[in-house]
Amino acid sequence: MSKKYTFFLLLILFCFSSIIAQEQLLVNAYNRTSTSLNGNWKYIIDPYENGYYNYRYEPFDQQESPWASAFFLNSKPKNPSDLIEYDFDQMNDLKVPGDWNTQKPELLYYEGTLWYKKSFDYTLTQKENNIFLYFEASNYKTEVYLNGKKLGTHIGGFTPFNFNVTDILKEKDNLLVVKVDNKRLKEAIPTLNTDWWNYGGLTRDVKLIETGSTFIQDYSIQLNPENNQQIKGYIQLKGKNMAQRAISISIPKLNIKKEFKTDDNGYIDFEIPVKKIQYWSDKNPHLYQVILETEEEKLEDQIGFRTIRTKGTQILLNNEPVYLRGISIHEESPFRKGRGYSKTDAQQLLLWAKELGCNYVRLAHYPHNEHMVRLADKMGMLVWEENPVYWTIEWNNPSTYQNAENQLFELITRDKNRASVIIWSMANETPNIPARNKFLNKLAQFTKSQDNTRLISAALEQKNYKDNPFIRTIDDPFANQVDILSFNEYIGWYDGLPEKCKKITWQIEQDKPVIISEFGAGAKKGHYGTKNTRWTEEFQEDLYIETLKMIDGIDKIQGISPWVLVDFRSPRRVLPIIQDGWNRKGVISDDGQKKKAFFILQDYFQKKARTE
Ligand code: GCU
């Protein structure tokens, strides 16, 4: 076997070992009985990873008897002569959840390892139950230790992961130590360069979830995409006695109560006929209470039943054409100016979108917290969710592909029962080269294999049609793989001035629905001037006026999600006074003030909605 092949084989095995160190994700953690571990955690900043590697750069946690200086041991001196060079308990606190960058001035730009430590007591309510340690997200590489034992490693900054800690948990003084490293890496997903802030840390909730000894681990309950008079799905039990177990599904408002018995693998699948059902839609976001019950546990969810498909150039929601009046959103808190994570953050962002007249949001460029999609379900907001395959990643690296696939799998597992989620986006602004096409085709096929009830897209790039700069087209082989053709364009900002929009026509040859996933311009709130003066609100306003006119001339357009709802932090944006570390393309400023462009877009959407 060639050395190169052996290397790649070992690399893939390593990657798998670091990924399968977690348990399969618990579905619907959102509604499960849990105990929060949020609050103050002790922390140590460790840029040289001194608490992880010995002086020969060997990881302490791969050694038989790790040295006392391994931080995950939380060693304490037993004798006055003992040498211990750290002490979590004398350190300061960081709040969890929350990025570290916006909690301490010295951490604003920090990229590296930071250790968290939390002690807690926990008593199982039933001694034969399972207990899981559940992280809603942690950016970027997270290594988790409980009571001196390594639970595993998670890679990816925006998706949940959990560990079954039943056999390790104690009733008193549990020691939880978490190493989080947000260093950007060429081989990572996303890669080294992005246009957003690299918020590091335990950025979302951390909790303990107690389940029965046999428990509901996974399920999908959706309207059959092929038959809207039928609810179709499956349930997977896990645990000691998962075989031949009774389980019931109830949907009281549909007078449904069905009893099943699992197979030898704890699995059932089902098709349940439904006569009179209120389909979920943006205009009528009707959610049904769904109750799953076994002898040991009862789990509730709120599920909307709808179909989403395309037909020619139309997007059909419950077989009716729908136009996506949208806006792109970054996951930043409108209040704390850091990574968003709370229900209040989600409410404010989605209420601004609603006020804009949106029935659709593009959650860019990575999976947002679960509050966003749960609220979108309730509010009737259609959602595009995106995997952070952004710009120029290592297309030829097998572990990079596995990482992308794993992050997408975790997102689909978390949100596959959310009616609001209609689009899985594979990528953003990636180059049309053979290695990328192979990578994305494989990712698209994987996605369809996991979930054939939603649409696939990706934010592609436009280009000159037959070298004519005034005719634009989408010439990208991946356009043949997607259900919805989506592209970003910045005519009038990166490409000429807003007046250039008048001179552009579009030649889109694919017989598919087309949405424009980004257009926009920067403006500093309160900076006024002529519409030719860049960074003024008038310039941004004019860009929207001219772009919307241009869009009205493209007959296949079935939706737009302009860039972007709110100004957001980016280390790339350094123009003094105007940017100061912020991307200013928001139609709302980072302190919540609406710019002139907000009202142009709002007026456009109001007119659109009246034609529906
Ligand atoms: C790109 C990219 C965004 C970026 C935006 C900009 O299209 O997708 O992530 O922030 O342009 O330049 O502001």
Side-chain angles (χ1 to χ4, degrees):
M1 194 185 293
S2 75
K3 280 205 174 65
K4 192 173 170 199
Y5 181 73
T6 311
F7 167 75
F8 273 122
L9 196 61
L10 289 172
L11 192 64
I12 290 172
L13 285 172
F14 166 73
C15 177
F16 261 104
S17 67
S18 65
I19 286 175
I20 54 177
Q22 301 116 47
E23 305 289 318
Q24 180 84 27
L25 206 55
L26 286 173
V27 161
N28 192 9
Y30 203 82
N31 287 330
R32 289 180 194 254
T33 312
S34 65
T35 302
S36 173
L37 294 178
N38 292 348
N40 289 329
W41 292 45
K42 293 297 181 185
Y43 76 98
I44 298 174
I45 306 171
D46 186 12
Y48 290 10
E49 298 181 279
N50 177 48
Y52 186 78
Y53 292 108
N54 64 18
Y55 75 132
R56 291 283 183 251
Y57 210 61
E58 295 154 341
F60 288 127
D61 60 16
Q62 313 294 319
Q63 294 166 22
E64 270 310 298
S65 51
W67 295 355
S69 46
F71 285 5
F72 73 92
L73 296 173
N74 191 33
S75 304
K76 300 288 183 189
K78 295 182 181 60
N79 307 301
S81 59
D82 282 357
L83 171 61
I84 305 282
E85 294 185 78
Y86 69 95
D87 183 349
F88 276 111
D89 298 317
Q90 291 186 53
M91 303 304 286
N92 293 322
D93 293 331
L94 269 181
K95 285 229 173 302
V96 170
D99 62 86
W100 62 57
N101 313 72
T102 55
Q103 291 194 55
K104 309 284 178 188
E106 68 274 20
L107 292 176
L108 182 60
Y109 282 87
Y110 181 64
E111 294 185 301
T113 283
L114 183 143
W115 295 81
Y116 291 85
K117 177 256 178 184
K118 182 83 175 174
S119 300
F120 64 92
D121 301 339
Y122 190 87
T123 306
L124 284 170
T125 52
Q126 308 262 348
K127 69 176 178 46
E128 67 282 357
N129 281 357
N130 283 292
I131 185 80
F132 289 84
L133 178 58
Y134 187 94
F135 295 81
E136 291 197 9
S138 171
N139 187 43
Y140 172 79
K141 179 178 180 181
T142 308
E143 298 179 75
V144 184
Y145 305 83
L146 183 64
N147 298 332
K149 180 172 169 31
K150 184 163 196 178
L151 301 183
T153 302
H154 181 266
I155 292 176
F158 305 98
T159 47
F161 54 100
N162 54 224
F163 302 96
N164 187 330
V165 295
T166 310
D167 300 336
I168 307 163
L169 201 76
K170 304 182 299 187
E171 291 216 355
K172 289 282 179 207
D173 300 331
N174 287 284
L175 168 65
L176 176 57
V177 176
V178 183
K179 178 184 184 285
V180 184
D181 181 354
N182 77 330
K183 266 193 303 297
R184 289 169 291 115
L185 303 166
K186 185 87 183 75
E187 69 273 16
I189 298 284
T191 183
L192 277 175
N193 63 336
T194 68
D195 189 20
W196 68 78
W197 207 269
N198 178 26
Y199 291 111
L202 296 174
T203 48
R204 295 180 193 156
D205 290 358
V206 181
K207 55 192 169 184
L208 292 163
I209 296 176
E210 186 172 340
T211 73
S213 63
T214 298
F215 57 94
I216 299 164
Q217 185 265 318
D218 185 15
Y219 61 85
S220 167
I221 304 176
Q222 295 279 282
L223 199 63
N224 183 342
E226 312 303 326
N227 171 0
N228 62 9
Q229 302 282 309
Q230 186 188 78
I231 289 173
K232 186 179 167 74
Y234 66 83
I235 301 173
Q236 176 67 61
L237 296 187
K238 280 280 165 60
K240 298 187 195 73
N241 315 307
M242 63 183 177
Q244 305 302 325
R245 292 297 295 270
I247 182 160
S248 70
I249 303 177
S250 309
I251 310 178
K253 287 285 186 343
L254 289 176
N255 296 317
I256 289 173
K257 178 150 178 112
K258 295 281 184 188
E259 308 280 346
F260 301 92
K261 194 175 281 296
T262 59
D263 65 16
D264 290 347
N265 299 314
Y267 180 84
I268 58 139
D269 55 24
F270 55 83
E271 292 174 350
I272 303 174
V274 284
K275 290 284 174 272
K276 290 165 67 72
I277 182 169
Q278 282 202 56
Y279 296 125
W280 184 94
S281 75
D282 55 331
K283 293 184 175 65
N284 176 29
H286 189 86
L287 298 174
Y288 285 93
Q289 182 197 32
V290 178
I291 304 158
L292 305 180
E293 205 159 359
T294 65
E295 294 124 66
E296 286 192 58
E297 62 179 13
K298 182 174 174 182
L299 183 56
E300 293 200 16
D301 207 342
Q302 299 72 35
I303 297 180
F305 297 107
R306 55 104 187 97
T307 58
I308 188 80
R309 64 189 179 90
T310 63
K311 187 179 174 202
T313 61
Q314 291 186 318
I315 302 170
L316 301 180
L317 175 62
N318 303 321
N319 295 323
E320 293 295 323
V322 63
Y323 182 92
L324 305 180
R325 305 189 306 276
I327 191 79
S328 294
I329 300 179
H330 256 301
E331 188 191 44
E332 283 198 347
S333 164
F335 312 103
R336 290 183 318 281
K337 301 191 181 187
R339 187 57 77 217
Y341 58 76
S342 70
K343 197 169 189 174
T344 317
D345 293 335
Q347 271 162 345
Q348 182 58 75
L349 293 172
L350 291 178
L351 283 174
W352 273 333
K354 207 86 180 166
E355 191 181 346
L356 200 47
C358 298
N359 66 341
Y360 164 70
V361 287
R362 176 188 180 207
L363 302 187
H365 285 293
Y366 39 75
H368 290 210
N369 65 79
E370 192 171 356
H371 294 299
M372 289 294 277
V373 290
R374 291 277 178 169
L375 270 175
D377 267 10
K378 287 185 180 144
M379 292 170 70
M381 197 68 85
L382 297 157
V383 175
W384 155 309
E385 290 202 284
E386 188 160 304
N387 204 27
V389 174
Y390 182 93
W391 285 356
T392 317
I393 63 157
E394 281 196 342
W395 307 108
N396 288 309
N397 183 332
S399 70
T400 300
Y401 173 79
Q402 191 54 52
N403 181 354
E405 186 175 287
N406 187 57
Q407 291 190 46
L408 196 51
F409 175 70
E410 290 171 347
L411 171 62
I412 294 169
T413 303
R414 187 193 77 180
D415 291 350
K416 63 191 170 193
N417 292 304
R418 304 280 70 80
S420 55
V421 178
I422 58 167
I423 297 169
W424 301 120
S425 167
M426 302 297 104
N428 180 73
E429 294 189 349
T430 53
N432 172 6
I433 54 174
R436 166 270 206 174
N437 298 339
K438 184 165 172 267
F439 187 107
L440 291 191
N441 289 352
K442 193 175 172 190
L443 205 55
Q445 283 151 22
F446 170 77
T447 304
K448 281 290 184 195
S449 72
Q450 295 298 317
D451 174 19
N452 67 354
T453 71
R454 291 177 174 84
L455 305 174
I456 275 184
S457 191
L460 305 177
E461 295 181 301
Q462 44 91 24
K463 61 182 284 191
N464 294 342
Y465 180 72
K466 293 186 177 150
D467 296 330
N468 180 336
F470 296 105
I471 305 178
R472 299 299 170 85
T473 190
I474 312 305
D475 174 16
D476 183 329
F478 194 58
N480 303 321
Q481 302 294 324
V482 296
D483 298 308
I484 293 184
L485 180 61
S486 165
F487 65 90
N488 299 346
E489 63 84 11
Y490 280 90
I491 297 160
W493 180 258
Y494 294 121
D495 173 356
L497 295 173
E499 66 201 13
K500 184 172 181 177
C501 293
K502 297 187 184 74
K503 300 173 189 147
I504 300 289
T505 57
W506 291 83
Q507 185 73 26
I508 297 175
E509 295 171 329
Q510 292 84 354
D511 181 30
K512 294 188 172 180
V514 181
I515 60 180
I516 299 184
S517 35
E518 283 182 40
F519 68 81
K524 170 84 168 161
K525 173 63 193 166
H527 180 47
Y528 302 114
T530 65
K531 66 182 181 179
N532 278 336
T533 307
R534 202 170 288 258
W535 304 112
T536 61
E537 287 198 46
E538 288 74 15
F539 185 106
Q540 185 189 44
E541 178 187 42
D542 187 44
L543 183 286
Y544 272 73
I545 291 168
E546 294 305 331
T547 302
L548 293 170
K549 274 189 224 161
M550 175 181 72
I551 288 173
D552 282 342
I554 310 174
D555 58 4
K556 287 180 183 165
I557 296 293
Q558 301 300 318
I560 60 173
S561 51
W563 190 257
V564 67
L565 181 66
V566 190
D567 292 351
F568 59 94
R569 281 189 200 275
S570 169
R572 304 168 67 87
R573 309 297 177 174
V574 295
L575 181 62
I577 304 172
I578 296 289
Q579 294 179 320
D580 294 324
W582 292 81
N583 183 311
R584 294 293 182 197
K585 295 189 182 69
V587 294
I588 298 175
S589 65
D590 60 284
D591 56 0
Q593 300 181 73
K594 298 178 181 76
K595 303 174 192 176
K596 289 186 170 188
F598 177 98
F599 302 100
I600 299 298
L601 187 58
Q602 183 185 54
D603 180 57
Y604 181 81
F605 283 158
Q606 282 168 352
K607 289 192 176 88
K608 266 279 172 214
R610 281 198 288 273
T611 62
E612 286 172 6

mmCIF file of all heavy atoms in Angstrom, residues 187-216:
data_model
loop_
_atom_site.group_PDB
_atom_site.id
_atom_site.type_symbol
_atom_site.label_atom_id
_atom_site.label_comp_id
_atom_site.label_asym_id
_atom_site.label_seq_id
_atom_site.Cartn_x
_atom_site.Cartn_y
_atom_site.Cartn_z
ATOM 1 N N GLU A 187 -7.821 23.429 6.589
ATOM 2 C CA GLU A 187 -8.568 22.206 6.266
ATOM 3 C C GLU A 187 -9.938 22.171 6.927
ATOM 4 O O GLU A 187 -10.678 21.194 6.812
ATOM 5 C CB GLU A 187 -7.764 20.968 6.685
ATOM 6 C CG GLU A 187 -7.616 20.784 8.190
ATOM 7 C CD GLU A 187 -6.422 21.543 8.745
ATOM 8 O OE1 GLU A 187 -5.908 22.446 8.038
ATOM 9 O OE2 GLU A 187 -6.011 21.242 9.886
ATOM 10 N N ALA A 188 -10.305 23.260 7.627
ATOM 11 C CA ALA A 188 -11.544 23.220 8.418
ATOM 12 C C ALA A 188 -12.763 23.613 7.570
ATOM 13 O O ALA A 188 -12.639 24.025 6.420
ATOM 14 C CB ALA A 188 -11.411 24.163 9.617
ATOM 15 N N ILE A 189 -13.926 23.508 8.212
ATOM 16 C CA ILE A 189 -15.225 23.940 7.623
ATOM 17 C C ILE A 189 -15.886 24.882 8.626
ATOM 18 O O ILE A 189 -16.406 24.431 9.648
ATOM 19 C CB ILE A 189 -16.170 22.733 7.397
ATOM 20 C CG1 ILE A 189 -15.567 21.745 6.413
ATOM 21 C CG2 ILE A 189 -17.548 23.213 6.894
ATOM 22 C CD1 ILE A 189 -15.626 22.148 4.952
ATOM 23 N N PRO A 190 -15.853 26.200 8.433
ATOM 24 C CA PRO A 190 -15.301 26.955 7.329
ATOM 25 C C PRO A 190 -13.782 26.978 7.385
ATOM 26 O O PRO A 190 -13.189 26.556 8.375
ATOM 27 C CB PRO A 190 -15.868 28.360 7.527
ATOM 28 C CG PRO A 190 -15.955 28.497 9.014
ATOM 29 C CD PRO A 190 -16.366 27.132 9.502
ATOM 30 N N THR A 191 -13.189 27.504 6.325
ATOM 31 C CA THR A 191 -11.721 27.493 6.217
ATOM 32 C C THR A 191 -11.152 28.772 6.845
ATOM 33 O O THR A 191 -11.836 29.455 7.617
ATOM 34 C CB THR A 191 -11.305 27.348 4.744
ATOM 35 O OG1 THR A 191 -9.883 27.262 4.663
ATOM 36 C CG2 THR A 191 -11.775 28.535 3.911
ATOM 37 N N LEU A 192 -9.918 29.121 6.499
ATOM 38 C CA LEU A 192 -9.223 30.235 7.159
ATOM 39 C C LEU A 192 -9.942 31.573 7.012
ATOM 40 O O LEU A 192 -10.008 32.354 7.953
ATOM 41 C CB LEU A 192 -7.818 30.381 6.543
ATOM 42 C CG LEU A 192 -6.728 29.478 7.089
ATOM 43 C CD1 LEU A 192 -5.461 29.668 6.287
ATOM 44 C CD2 LEU A 192 -6.481 29.770 8.570
ATOM 45 N N ASN A 193 -10.465 31.846 5.776
ATOM 46 C CA ASN A 193 -11.016 33.202 5.590
ATOM 47 C C ASN A 193 -12.532 33.160 5.447
ATOM 48 O O ASN A 193 -13.102 32.367 4.719
ATOM 49 C CB ASN A 193 -10.373 33.896 4.393
ATOM 50 C CG ASN A 193 -10.660 33.174 3.090
ATOM 51 O OD1 ASN A 193 -10.934 31.982 3.106
ATOM 52 N ND2 ASN A 193 -10.636 33.910 1.989
ATOM 53 N N THR A 194 -13.159 34.028 6.232
ATOM 54 C CA THR A 194 -14.610 34.212 6.135
ATOM 55 C C THR A 194 -14.865 35.711 6.304
ATOM 56 O O THR A 194 -13.954 36.467 6.637
ATOM 57 C CB THR A 194 -15.366 33.495 7.280
ATOM 58 O OG1 THR A 194 -15.062 34.164 8.516
ATOM 59 C CG2 THR A 194 -15.010 32.034 7.370
ATOM 60 N N ASP A 195 -16.120 36.114 6.077
ATOM 61 C CA ASP A 195 -16.479 37.509 6.345
ATOM 62 C C ASP A 195 -17.431 37.557 7.521
ATOM 63 O O ASP A 195 -18.553 38.044 7.417
ATOM 64 C CB ASP A 195 -17.123 38.145 5.103
ATOM 65 C CG ASP A 195 -17.307 39.662 5.273
ATOM 66 O OD1 ASP A 195 -16.625 40.258 6.135
ATOM 67 O OD2 ASP A 195 -18.159 40.222 4.571
ATOM 68 N N TRP A 196 -16.999 36.988 8.639
ATOM 69 C CA TRP A 196 -17.723 37.116 9.905
ATOM 70 C C TRP A 196 -16.739 36.915 11.048
ATOM 71 O O TRP A 196 -15.616 36.465 10.851
ATOM 72 C CB TRP A 196 -18.913 36.135 9.990
ATOM 73 C CG TRP A 196 -18.614 34.671 10.092
ATOM 74 C CD1 TRP A 196 -18.213 33.982 11.219
ATOM 75 C CD2 TRP A 196 -18.727 33.679 9.047
ATOM 76 N NE1 TRP A 196 -18.044 32.647 10.927
ATOM 77 C CE2 TRP A 196 -18.372 32.444 9.608
ATOM 78 C CE3 TRP A 196 -19.073 33.740 7.703
ATOM 79 C CZ2 TRP A 196 -18.360 31.246 8.872
ATOM 80 C CZ3 TRP A 196 -19.060 32.555 6.958
ATOM 81 C CH2 TRP A 196 -18.713 31.338 7.539
ATOM 82 N N TRP A 197 -17.169 37.290 12.268
ATOM 83 C CA TRP A 197 -16.279 37.208 13.424
ATOM 84 C C TRP A 197 -16.143 35.770 13.911
ATOM 85 O O TRP A 197 -17.131 35.059 13.934
ATOM 86 C CB TRP A 197 -16.828 38.075 14.571
ATOM 87 C CG TRP A 197 -15.747 38.570 15.483
ATOM 88 C CD1 TRP A 197 -15.277 37.959 16.611
ATOM 89 C CD2 TRP A 197 -14.977 39.762 15.330
ATOM 90 N NE1 TRP A 197 -14.273 38.700 17.163
ATOM 91 C CE2 TRP A 197 -14.058 39.814 16.412
ATOM 92 C CE3 TRP A 197 -14.973 40.802 14.389
ATOM 93 C CZ2 TRP A 197 -13.161 40.866 16.568
ATOM 94 C CZ3 TRP A 197 -14.081 41.840 14.541
ATOM 95 C CH2 TRP A 197 -13.179 41.861 15.630
ATOM 96 N N ASN A 198 -14.931 35.375 14.240
ATOM 97 C CA ASN A 198 -14.695 33.999 14.666
ATOM 98 C C ASN A 198 -14.971 33.887 16.173
ATOM 99 O O ASN A 198 -14.063 33.737 16.990
ATOM 100 C CB ASN A 198 -13.251 33.610 14.349
ATOM 101 C CG ASN A 198 -12.919 32.210 14.798
ATOM 102 O OD1 ASN A 198 -13.801 31.358 14.900
ATOM 103 N ND2 ASN A 198 -11.647 31.960 15.059
ATOM 104 N N TYR A 199 -16.267 33.964 16.512
ATOM 105 C CA TYR A 199 -16.640 33.901 17.930
ATOM 106 C C TYR A 199 -16.310 32.519 18.482
ATOM 107 O O TYR A 199 -16.817 31.510 17.977
ATOM 108 C CB TYR A 199 -18.140 34.137 18.083
ATOM 109 C CG TYR A 199 -18.602 35.536 17.771
ATOM 110 C CD1 TYR A 199 -19.376 35.808 16.658
ATOM 111 C CD2 TYR A 199 -18.263 36.604 18.611
ATOM 112 C CE1 TYR A 199 -19.816 37.094 16.373
ATOM 113 C CE2 TYR A 199 -18.699 37.894 18.334
ATOM 114 C CZ TYR A 199 -19.477 38.133 17.209
ATOM 115 O OH TYR A 199 -19.907 39.405 16.934
ATOM 116 N N GLY A 200 -15.509 32.469 19.540
ATOM 117 C CA GLY A 200 -15.102 31.173 20.086
ATOM 118 C C GLY A 200 -15.813 30.848 21.376
ATOM 119 O O GLY A 200 -16.320 31.743 22.069
ATOM 120 N N GLY A 201 -15.868 29.541 21.690
ATOM 121 C CA GLY A 201 -16.336 29.142 23.002
ATOM 122 C C GLY A 201 -17.611 28.333 23.010
ATOM 123 O O GLY A 201 -18.128 27.915 21.986
ATOM 124 N N LEU A 202 -18.134 28.168 24.242
ATOM 125 C CA LEU A 202 -19.407 27.455 24.432
ATOM 126 C C LEU A 202 -20.511 28.461 24.126
ATOM 127 O O LEU A 202 -21.045 29.121 25.006
ATOM 128 C CB LEU A 202 -19.494 26.918 25.869
ATOM 129 C CG LEU A 202 -18.444 25.861 26.234
ATOM 130 C CD1 LEU A 202 -18.516 25.493 27.716
ATOM 131 C CD2 LEU A 202 -18.604 24.611 25.362
ATOM 132 N N THR A 203 -20.833 28.578 22.865
ATOM 133 C CA THR A 203 -21.644 29.697 22.370
ATOM 134 C C THR A 203 -23.146 29.467 22.554
ATOM 135 O O THR A 203 -23.933 30.381 22.351
ATOM 136 C CB THR A 203 -21.368 29.892 20.865
ATOM 137 O OG1 THR A 203 -21.445 28.606 20.240
ATOM 138 C CG2 THR A 203 -19.987 30.504 20.632
ATOM 139 N N ARG A 204 -23.556 28.245 22.892
ATOM 140 C CA ARG A 204 -24.975 27.962 23.116
ATOM 141 C C ARG A 204 -25.108 27.137 24.426
ATOM 142 O O ARG A 204 -24.122 26.803 25.065
ATOM 143 C CB ARG A 204 -25.603 27.222 21.934
ATOM 144 C CG ARG A 204 -25.638 28.063 20.654
ATOM 145 C CD ARG A 204 -26.256 27.350 19.469
ATOM 146 N NE ARG A 204 -25.975 28.085 18.226
ATOM 147 C CZ ARG A 204 -25.961 27.519 17.004
ATOM 148 N NH1 ARG A 204 -26.214 26.227 16.871
ATOM 149 N NH2 ARG A 204 -25.668 28.235 15.931
ATOM 150 N N ASP A 205 -26.363 26.819 24.769
ATOM 151 C CA ASP A 205 -26.660 26.153 26.050
ATOM 152 C C ASP A 205 -25.905 24.830 26.202
ATOM 153 O O ASP A 205 -25.650 24.131 25.226
ATOM 154 C CB ASP A 205 -28.163 25.839 26.136
ATOM 155 C CG ASP A 205 -29.011 27.104 26.287
ATOM 156 O OD1 ASP A 205 -28.412 28.206 26.363
ATOM 157 O OD2 ASP A 205 -30.243 26.992 26.304
ATOM 158 N N VAL A 206 -25.594 24.519 27.465
ATOM 159 C CA VAL A 206 -25.061 23.208 27.836
ATOM 160 C C VAL A 206 -26.013 22.630 28.881
ATOM 161 O O VAL A 206 -26.430 23.351 29.802
ATOM 162 C CB VAL A 206 -23.646 23.322 28.437
ATOM 163 C CG1 VAL A 206 -23.090 21.942 28.790
ATOM 164 C CG2 VAL A 206 -22.699 24.028 27.463
ATOM 165 N N LYS A 207 -26.424 21.383 28.691
ATOM 166 C CA LYS A 207 -27.403 20.838 29.633
ATOM 167 C C LYS A 207 -27.238 19.321 29.799
ATOM 168 O O LYS A 207 -26.570 18.668 29.003
ATOM 169 C CB LYS A 207 -28.822 21.155 29.170
ATOM 170 C CG LYS A 207 -29.184 20.726 27.775
ATOM 171 C CD LYS A 207 -30.510 21.384 27.372
ATOM 172 C CE LYS A 207 -30.813 21.213 25.901
ATOM 173 N NZ LYS A 207 -32.048 21.924 25.492
ATOM 174 N N LEU A 208 -27.866 18.837 30.892
ATOM 175 C CA LEU A 208 -27.910 17.395 31.150
ATOM 176 C C LEU A 208 -29.320 16.929 30.799
ATOM 177 O O LEU A 208 -30.298 17.554 31.237
ATOM 178 C CB LEU A 208 -27.626 17.112 32.625
ATOM 179 C CG LEU A 208 -26.196 17.409 33.087
ATOM 180 C CD1 LEU A 208 -26.142 17.500 34.604
ATOM 181 C CD2 LEU A 208 -25.226 16.354 32.553
ATOM 182 N N ILE A 209 -29.414 15.891 30.010
ATOM 183 C CA ILE A 209 -30.719 15.354 29.613
ATOM 184 C C ILE A 209 -30.839 13.937 30.164
ATOM 185 O O ILE A 209 -29.997 13.080 29.868
ATOM 186 C CB ILE A 209 -30.874 15.341 28.080
ATOM 187 C CG1 ILE A 209 -30.862 16.778 27.531
ATOM 188 C CG2 ILE A 209 -32.171 14.634 27.672
ATOM 189 C CD1 ILE A 209 -30.908 16.865 26.012
ATOM 190 N N GLU A 210 -31.871 13.742 30.986
ATOM 191 C CA GLU A 210 -32.103 12.404 31.558
ATOM 192 C C GLU A 210 -33.175 11.690 30.750
ATOM 193 O O GLU A 210 -34.201 12.276 30.417
ATOM 194 C CB GLU A 210 -32.545 12.530 33.022
ATOM 195 C CG GLU A 210 -32.656 11.189 33.728
ATOM 196 C CD GLU A 210 -32.895 11.327 35.235
ATOM 197 O OE1 GLU A 210 -32.601 12.411 35.800
ATOM 198 O OE2 GLU A 210 -33.383 10.350 35.840
ATOM 199 N N THR A 211 -32.902 10.448 30.382
ATOM 200 C CA THR A 211 -33.902 9.673 29.624
ATOM 201 C C THR A 211 -34.125 8.351 30.352
ATOM 202 O O THR A 211 -33.375 7.998 31.265
ATOM 203 C CB THR A 211 -33.375 9.330 28.214
ATOM 204 O OG1 THR A 211 -32.359 8.313 28.343
ATOM 205 C CG2 THR A 211 -32.804 10.559 27.504
ATOM 206 N N GLY A 212 -35.123 7.619 29.898
ATOM 207 C CA GLY A 212 -35.352 6.284 30.442
ATOM 208 C C GLY A 212 -34.167 5.376 30.103
ATOM 209 O O GLY A 212 -33.307 5.750 29.297
ATOM 210 N N SER A 213 -34.143 4.187 30.706
ATOM 211 C CA SER A 213 -33.040 3.266 30.379
ATOM 212 C C SER A 213 -33.170 2.859 28.912
ATOM 213 O O SER A 213 -32.189 2.665 28.224
ATOM 214 C CB SER A 213 -33.087 2.034 31.282
ATOM 215 O OG SER A 213 -34.284 1.323 31.039
ATOM 216 N N THR A 214 -34.417 2.736 28.461
ATOM 217 C CA THR A 214 -34.676 2.624 27.010
ATOM 218 C C THR A 214 -35.350 3.931 26.613
ATOM 219 O O THR A 214 -36.263 4.380 27.307
ATOM 220 C CB THR A 214 -35.588 1.417 26.725
ATOM 221 O OG1 THR A 214 -34.901 0.235 27.158
ATOM 222 C CG2 THR A 214 -35.897 1.323 25.245
ATOM 223 N N PHE A 215 -34.857 4.565 25.562
ATOM 224 C CA PHE A 215 -35.317 5.934 25.281
ATOM 225 C C PHE A 215 -35.529 6.165 23.785
ATOM 226 O O PHE A 215 -34.977 5.448 22.950
ATOM 227 C CB PHE A 215 -34.313 6.956 25.833
ATOM 228 C CG PHE A 215 -32.923 6.793 25.293
ATOM 229 C CD1 PHE A 215 -32.489 7.522 24.191
ATOM 230 C CD2 PHE A 215 -32.048 5.871 25.856
ATOM 231 C CE1 PHE A 215 -31.216 7.353 23.684
ATOM 232 C CE2 PHE A 215 -30.760 5.697 25.345
ATOM 233 C CZ PHE A 215 -30.342 6.435 24.258
ATOM 234 N N ILE A 216 -36.319 7.198 23.507
ATOM 235 C CA ILE A 216 -36.561 7.619 22.117
ATOM 236 C C ILE A 216 -35.332 8.404 21.687
ATOM 237 O O ILE A 216 -35.080 9.498 22.196
ATOM 238 C CB ILE A 216 -37.831 8.486 22.027
ATOM 239 C CG1 ILE A 216 -39.054 7.686 22.488
ATOM 240 C CG2 ILE A 216 -38.024 9.004 20.592
ATOM 241 C CD1 ILE A 216 -40.266 8.554 22.796
#
